[in-house]
Amino acid sequence: MRNNKWAFLFTCIFSIIQYSGILLAVILEYLSTRKMGVARYLLYKKQEFATTYFTDTSIHVLYILFFVGAIGCMLFLIRGKRKIPFIIAVLANLLGVVFLQLKSQLYAYHFFLIGMIVVVVLQYFFILLKKIKKQR
């Protein structure tokens, strides 16, 4: 019983950390229409990210990674017994593709992408931890 409490606590903390990046991007997007300083900062970061980290090549790589991740997780979802982590991973990958499509409509576009990358990577890490724990 005690071990189960720690596992639940770890899962809750892990989920909060995982989705905090998306929450921060939503807050920045909301504030971009309310505060001029936030709008300027996001415009500056959008230009900076577009020329450094999120070039056309890296956006295409992200498309491929999100699609391959979604397809791979769907295959594991069909075969596996534990479905919740894979459903979350599939949804995160598909949301990553959606955010890649919303390039011009969002002020905090690159922060949403960074948040989705963090969610997907942490979800894969969580699935890997569950697999390692299950094998012991």
Side-chain angles (χ1 to χ4, degrees):
M1 184 75 173
R2 184 176 179 194
N3 193 19
N4 197 13
K5 287 181 183 179
W6 284 108
F8 178 74
L9 182 66
F10 173 75
T11 304
C12 289
I13 291 172
F14 191 78
S15 296
I16 290 169
I17 291 170
Q18 186 176 7
Y19 294 108
S20 64
I22 300 283
L23 180 65
L24 292 173
V26 169
I27 291 170
L28 282 175
E29 186 67 30
Y30 172 76
L31 290 176
S32 68
T33 59
R34 306 275 191 275
K35 304 283 183 182
M36 190 62 188
V38 175
R40 284 189 206 137
Y41 173 76
L42 291 176
L43 182 64
Y44 168 73
K45 282 300 190 181
K46 194 172 193 176
Q47 292 171 346
E48 184 179 311
F49 280 140
T51 59
T52 55
Y53 299 115
F54 294 104
T55 61
D56 290 335
T57 306
S58 63
I59 294 294
H60 291 300
V61 169
L62 281 175
Y63 267 121
I64 292 169
L65 290 176
F66 282 140
F67 275 125
V68 168
I71 292 170
C73 287
M74 280 185 209
L75 292 175
F76 283 119
L77 181 65
I78 293 169
R79 290 182 15 169
K81 294 177 183 175
R82 293 242 168 179
K83 297 194 183 281
I84 301 293
F86 289 110
I87 290 172
I88 293 171
V90 168
L91 290 175
N93 281 302
L94 293 178
L95 279 174
V97 172
V98 168
F99 283 125
L100 285 171
Q101 294 294 323
L102 296 175
K103 190 173 197 171
S104 61
Q105 287 96 5
L106 296 173
Y107 289 107
Y109 166 71
H110 294 100
F111 292 101
F112 277 111
L113 282 181
I114 292 169
M116 288 312 300
I117 291 168
V118 167
V119 166
V120 168
V121 167
L122 288 178
Q123 189 62 34
Y124 290 159
F125 180 71
F126 187 69
I127 290 170
L128 185 64
L129 280 177
K130 290 265 186 185
K131 284 284 190 191
I132 291 172
K133 183 180 174 187
K134 185 179 175 183
Q135 288 178 353
R136 285 185 178 188

